Amino acid sequence: MKKKALITGITGQSGSYLAELLLNKGYEVHGIIRRSSSFNTGKIDHIFNQLQLHFGDMTDSLSLDAIIQKVKPDEVYHLAAQSHVHVSFQIPEYTGDVDALGTLKLIESIRRNVPKCRFYNATTSELFGLVQETPQKETTSMYPRSPYGVAKLYSFWICKNYRESYDMFISNGILFNHESERRGETFVTRKITLALAKIDKALKGSEIKEFEILKLGNLEAKRDWGYAPDYVEGMWRMLQHDKPDDFVLATNETHSIKEFIEEAIQYTDIDLEWYGTDENTYAIDKNTNRVIISIDPKYYRPAEVELLIGDASKAKEQLDWTPTVKFKELVEIMMKNDMK
């Protein structure tokens, strides 16, 4: 008998990589998708016929319950979320409904219908927010700084509570930023790589074309960036472990957004030079003297997270997990993809 896995958020970056991984391991893979008038399956179209997809929504307990009863999964990977931190300040109630209460609805359905099912809950380095310790690990005090982080903190603790109250196999993955060429185009890393590729193309040749300036917020914010396929391997390993637990997945490196830009620019013909400070910071291409990057205060967060860097020693020791792709190679993968 094939193992049955159910993935929420299967149409996203990590969901698509996880679906590939599980198919390659011989699983029967099910996914939950939201009904939409437009197609939103682009990241899984290449494996669409190998998947069993079900319409549902994290805010609708009836749909979740019906799917759990129908599929009776052996493993559930809960990746669905309103996961954009900046957007969570604009739609905080919806973010809480999906990310916090959605998790509760799902694990309550599992408790009632398939209590032996193994459950992976995707949490986030945003739990640490205003960091109390560097680097951050599983025992670091949490201090989220956004509605997204606060909602994920609820999901983290409700999962621990169900694990301890009902003896359920529930593991929290505290994943630091994981990126790839499939990252959503509004997330800062992909926004940078796509914009620089488009600007580079516009500036080449004898006829310089118009382009959109890359507008960003806090260039000095530092993040621990890894490669999404590495991280879905870690998710799977958590559910193969002999006991449920909480694990940090990270690269133990931190780089600023400005460093990301300077690494990415190497794959273009742009000759970058920075000017100004704070909100007046901008960058030009010295070849053409054109402004290509500027700051827009609308991208600042009401409460900023300045520094995140994770310590994944526990995952290495207990799961034999280590990231294979670090910062420079990650930027190279993303830039080469978007330059095409």
Side-chain angles (χ1 to χ4, degrees):
M1 288 285 289
K2 283 186 173 183
K3 273 189 180 180
K4 283 192 280 189
L6 174 67
I7 303 171
T8 73
I10 195 169
T11 59
Q13 169 193 243
S14 298
S16 66
Y17 285 121
L18 179 61
E20 289 175 351
L21 176 78
L22 295 176
L23 286 171
N24 289 335
K25 291 183 180 294
Y27 281 69
E28 179 182 306
V29 179
H30 296 253
I32 298 178
I33 60 172
R34 283 181 295 171
R35 182 72 181 93
S36 173
S37 59
S38 57
F39 291 109
N40 61 352
T41 58
K43 294 182 177 71
I44 55 171
D45 281 349
H46 63 295
I47 52 172
F48 190 88
N49 292 332
Q50 301 175 65
L51 304 171
Q52 298 185 46
L53 301 177
H54 311 266
F55 289 119
D57 193 288
M58 294 311 302
T59 63
D60 178 15
S61 57
L62 291 178
S63 69
L64 297 176
D65 205 52
I67 294 166
I68 293 296
Q69 289 183 37
K70 180 179 180 180
V71 176
K72 292 184 169 56
D74 300 296
E75 297 174 3
V76 171
Y77 295 86
H78 177 38
L79 312 184
Q82 190 304 98
S83 58
H84 199 288
V85 177
H86 185 77
V87 170
S88 78
F89 285 100
Q90 298 163 17
I91 49 172
E93 183 178 341
Y94 176 76
T95 300
D97 286 346
V98 172
D99 298 5
L101 294 180
T103 304
L104 171 61
K105 290 168 184 173
L106 187 56
I107 58 174
E108 174 60 16
S109 179
I110 290 168
R111 183 187 72 82
R112 287 186 283 104
N113 294 297
V114 280
K116 297 301 180 185
C117 172
R118 296 191 170 201
F119 184 84
Y120 168 81
N121 183 42
T123 69
T124 168
S125 57
E126 293 286 332
L127 296 179
F128 299 119
L130 187 63
V131 297
Q132 306 296 297
E133 176 184 29
T134 301
Q136 296 88 54
K137 50 183 181 287
E138 293 82 3
T139 56
T140 300
S141 295
M142 296 174 180
Y143 195 139
R145 299 267 282 171
S146 65
Y148 168 71
V150 172
K152 281 293 190 177
L153 184 62
Y154 177 93
S155 82
F156 174 86
W157 278 106
I158 200 65
C159 282
K160 281 178 75 82
N161 182 259
Y162 267 59
R163 181 170 75 208
E164 295 169 1
S165 300
Y166 302 115
D167 194 30
M168 294 172 69
F169 195 110
I170 298 178
S171 290
N172 284 305
I174 308 172
L175 272 57
F176 282 65
N177 293 60
H178 40 293
E179 317 295 319
S180 76
E181 59 273 40
R182 296 184 194 173
R183 189 56 144 151
E185 296 179 12
T186 62
F187 289 84
V188 69
T189 51
R190 191 78 195 289
K191 181 179 176 180
I192 290 167
T193 58
L194 274 172
L196 292 182
K198 289 176 181 176
I199 291 168
D200 181 66
K201 185 176 181 181
L203 294 178
K204 281 179 176 170
S206 56
E207 190 177 327
I208 294 177
K209 300 174 184 176
E210 290 304 310
F211 58 85
E212 282 191 34
I213 294 172
L214 172 58
K215 295 181 179 179
L216 298 167
N218 180 11
L219 296 177
E220 302 307 322
K222 292 186 173 182
R223 294 293 184 269
D224 184 325
W225 281 302
Y227 190 42
D230 283 342
Y231 286 60
V232 301
E233 171 74 24
M235 298 173 190
W236 176 77
R237 291 189 183 206
M238 288 182 211
L239 294 198
Q240 315 316 307
H241 195 43
D242 55 1
K243 63 177 184 178
D245 207 343
D246 307 322
F247 294 94
V248 163
L249 299 186
T251 69
N252 199 34
E253 288 185 17
T254 190
H255 299 273
S256 70
I257 291 170
K258 193 172 184 180
E259 286 179 81
F260 191 99
I261 294 168
E262 289 170 347
E263 185 66 30
I265 212 82
Q266 296 180 45
Y267 297 91
T268 72
D269 291 331
I270 296 168
D271 190 0
L272 191 73
E273 186 161 340
W274 294 99
Y275 293 91
T277 58
D278 301 325
E279 290 184 16
N280 298 314
T281 300
Y282 65 97
I284 68 164
D285 167 38
K286 290 197 290 183
N287 296 318
T288 59
N289 208 35
R290 299 281 294 273
V291 174
I292 64 167
I293 301 171
S294 67
I295 300 299
D296 189 335
K298 78 176 183 181
Y299 294 116
Y300 289 154
R301 298 181 187 178
E304 185 57 77
V305 174
E306 298 291 351
L307 167 68
L308 293 173
I309 178 171
D311 178 357
S313 300
K314 181 178 175 182
K316 181 178 181 180
E317 179 183 335
Q318 296 190 22
L319 305 178
D320 193 27
W321 180 88
T322 53
T324 64
V325 175
K326 293 292 189 78
F327 177 71
K328 287 181 180 293
E329 189 180 352
L330 169 67
V331 178
E332 179 182 7
I333 290 168
M334 294 179 69
M335 278 303 295
K336 285 185 174 178
N337 176 81
D338 288 342
M339 289 294 285
K340 291 177 183 177

